[in-house]
Amino acid sequence: MRVISETSMPASVSAVPHCGIDLGSARDRLLQHEIYGLVTTGPRLRRFMESHVFAVWDFQSLLKAMQQRLTCTTVPWIPTADCEARRLVNEIVLEEESDELPDGGFASHFELYLDSMSRAGADTSAMEYLLHQLADGAAIDDVLEAGCVPREAAAFVRESFAMISECPIHGLVAAFTYGREDVIPEMFRSLVATLASREPSWSRLHWYLERHIEADDEKHGPMCRRILRRLCGDDPVKWSEASFAARRAIDARVALWDALAAELARIPS
């Protein structure tokens, strides 16, 4: 059973039984998935991106849900209780929502990914349809039911929004930390190794992946773990709830990868 060690956790927390994140075998199943060896050709890459872009988009939704709960985003402004958590989540939002681009200017990591799709020749119409419908006031469930979003991506997004609705804040932070920030660098390293020597149209995606590895591994992952320690403290019940949410998030990603891998395997290599 895999337990994530909180090496910088205060002694009062680490001394309490069952404090820490228990992922069982979930993380290993995700990182050892067959999908990383399947994204080997242009057609397979494009099909991968056409579903994966929805995970890139709802990453931002999870992050904004965290920001709403850890800071004050309403008027009149009222200071929230945890100043450090407020600072940390705002730092993460700053880079994820408006990062510096290599050729100047700013964009969210989602917008950078969408640009990478266009440069690689992937179809962005389903993602653009979702954004257009949401901007016009449609409910997310109605848009997903319309059938334009790939089925496996729609199921993944539904689960993400269910967690936003159902999880306490420590569960949501755990899902974001261990279902996204903690595993993204290792997942993307596999893809970067595949893309490194490929055609120039993949260069923007390559830069995106490298940037995400750097940000998540060196900065955002540790920041999220600090927030989670502050939220759970020495409460074993909260750590148990956080572990459950983290495993739930990883299981959703594995289900997405399973369905997408079956699709990629049908595309000639």
Side-chain angles (χ1 to χ4, degrees), residues 202-218:
W202 296 11
S203 61
R204 190 69 156 187
L205 176 62
H206 189 198
W207 186 88
Y208 164 86
L209 296 175
E210 291 279 17
R211 176 62 179 153
H212 226 35
I213 290 170
E214 175 189 5
D216 293 348
D217 213 11
E218 298 177 9

Side-chain angles (χ1 to χ4, degrees), residues 187-204:
M187 289 193 302
F188 281 0
R189 282 191 185 99
S190 299
L191 292 176
V192 166
T194 299
L195 295 173
S197 61
R198 298 289 177 167
E199 57 189 273
S201 63
W202 296 11
S203 61
R204 190 69 156 187

